[in-house]
Every structure is written in C-alpha cells, then in structure tokens.
Amino acid sequence: MKRVVLIQFFLFVFSLSFGQCYVLKNEEILFSFKTKNGKKIVLAKDINNEYIIYRFGTSKKIELEYPKEKSKNSWNLFTYDYYHKPGGPENNAMYLNSVYFKIGTYQYSIFSNVYLTNEKNDDYEFGVSVFNSKNGKTSTIKGTYIIKGTLDDFKDNNLLKPKLD
C-alpha cells in the first residue's frame, strides 16, 4: 500500500513539473474561457491587486503571457471599454464589453458581447481579437464556453482605466 501511494505521489509531482499553470496560487480569475481548439484564455489578477495578467495557451504550453513583469505598472497596460444599449429584445438591446492591451503593433481586445433579439436565442459571443496595425488585418479567436468571470464587472470595480481613443 505504501508503495502505491509513493508511486502516485511521484506521478503527481512529475505531471506538475511538465504542465504549465494558467493561474498561480496568489491569483484569481477575472475572466476565462476555452476556445474551439481547446486552448484557454485567462485574464487574472493577484489577490492583493499587485498586478493583472493575460495568458493564452494549453495546459502544456502557455503561448502568450502579458505582461512579462508582474508589477503594479501592469494595471496601466490594460484598459476597459463598454457600450450598453438598453431596451430589451424589442429594441435590440446590446451589452458590449472589452478589455484592451497592446504588444508592439498588435492591439488585443478581449470581448464579451450580448445582443438581445426577438428571436428565441439571443446572441452571445466572446473571444479575443488581435488587430495588426502594420497590415490592417484583424484575427479573432472565438470562445466556446466561459470557464469563469465576466468582463461586465470592470464597469464598476475601477480596476482598469477607461479606454480613450
């Protein structure tokens, strides 16, 4: 019995050393979703509001982590914008939320949009769009389901500055 427990322990430790973590122990998820190809997008913050961070990738490889330096300055690198058109389905109400950050010539927009219609199913979309200012092209990765959180909370929590064009 001892031997089985010991083997399980070493397998667990071994698996941790090769997997990468979307959220560290001192972090909490603000907004996270899974993409069509099984990757995750995570927007997280330190539990003491020391920093905010974006991660994209798989459990085996984080492909993008921004910013690299986890510091108070990270809060200045992200902005928030929203547009709410009230009125319910009869007026085609909409709730658009986006968090922005920029890396070089690439402008990232993490978005969560709700469109209320008179149809049986309202339209709900979320994902990340990447605009390349060098060539003017935009790529969008749509989410398949939300794991945790909502961007709507940024409207009232004052964690991010509003986006100014």
Side-chain angles (χ1 to χ4, degrees), residues 9-90:
F9 173 76
F10 283 115
L11 286 173
F12 174 73
V13 171
F14 182 77
S15 70
L16 287 179
S17 65
F18 285 98
Q20 296 201 352
C21 191
Y22 291 107
V23 182
L24 302 179
K25 289 180 182 180
N26 65 310
E27 296 174 348
E28 63 184 357
I29 294 174
L30 298 168
F31 186 61
S32 177
F33 60 89
K34 199 164 227 176
T35 66
K36 289 181 183 177
N37 60 5
K39 296 182 180 184
K40 282 186 188 175
I41 291 178
V42 174
L43 186 62
K45 72 174 189 72
D46 173 75
I47 57 175
N48 295 316
N49 293 336
E50 292 297 316
Y51 63 86
I52 185 171
I53 194 145
Y54 168 88
R55 292 188 183 99
F56 169 76
T58 66
S59 59
K60 294 183 180 169
K61 182 181 180 192
I62 301 297
E63 296 175 32
L64 176 62
E65 181 176 272
Y66 179 81
K68 292 291 182 197
E69 183 181 326
K70 297 175 186 81
S71 69
K72 281 269 192 202
N73 184 54
S74 65
W75 293 101
N76 298 321
L77 303 174
F78 292 81
T79 57
Y80 172 71
D81 194 22
Y82 71 94
Y83 173 76
H84 292 178
K85 177 185 171 194
E90 60 279 355

Side-chain angles (χ1 to χ4, degrees), residues 29-164:
I29 294 174
L30 298 168
F31 186 61
S32 177
F33 60 89
K34 199 164 227 176
T35 66
K36 289 181 183 177
N37 60 5
K39 296 182 180 184
K40 282 186 188 175
I41 291 178
V42 174
L43 186 62
K45 72 174 189 72
D46 173 75
I47 57 175
N48 295 316
N49 293 336
E50 292 297 316
Y51 63 86
I52 185 171
I53 194 145
Y54 168 88
R55 292 188 183 99
F56 169 76
T58 66
S59 59
K60 294 183 180 169
K61 182 181 180 192
I62 301 297
E63 296 175 32
L64 176 62
E65 181 176 272
Y66 179 81
K68 292 291 182 197
E69 183 181 326
K70 297 175 186 81
S71 69
K72 281 269 192 202
N73 184 54
S74 65
W75 293 101
N76 298 321
L77 303 174
F78 292 81
T79 57
Y80 172 71
D81 194 22
Y82 71 94
Y83 173 76
H84 292 178
K85 177 185 171 194
E90 60 279 355
N91 292 318
N92 295 319
M94 62 180 74
Y95 303 90
L96 314 176
N97 293 280
S98 295
V99 171
Y100 300 92
F101 63 94
K102 189 174 181 179
I103 303 174
T105 60
Y106 296 95
Q107 172 76 41
Y108 290 75
S109 170
I110 306 164
F111 63 88
S112 172
N113 302 329
V114 178
Y115 305 93
L116 301 180
T117 65
N118 284 322
E119 304 298 319
K120 187 173 184 175
N121 295 323
D122 295 325
D123 191 15
Y124 184 56
E125 64 180 9
F126 50 93
V128 62
S129 291
V130 183
F131 174 71
N132 183 342
S133 62
K134 216 174 197 178
N135 64 17
K137 293 185 179 178
T138 301
S139 300
T140 300
I141 301 170
K142 290 199 175 182
T144 55
Y145 68 90
I146 291 179
I147 297 170
K148 186 174 182 182
T150 175
L151 294 179
D152 200 48
D153 290 344
F154 285 109
K155 186 176 55 177
D156 299 317
N157 66 18
N158 295 318
L159 289 173
L160 297 180
K161 293 184 293 187
K163 182 177 189 276
L164 303 172

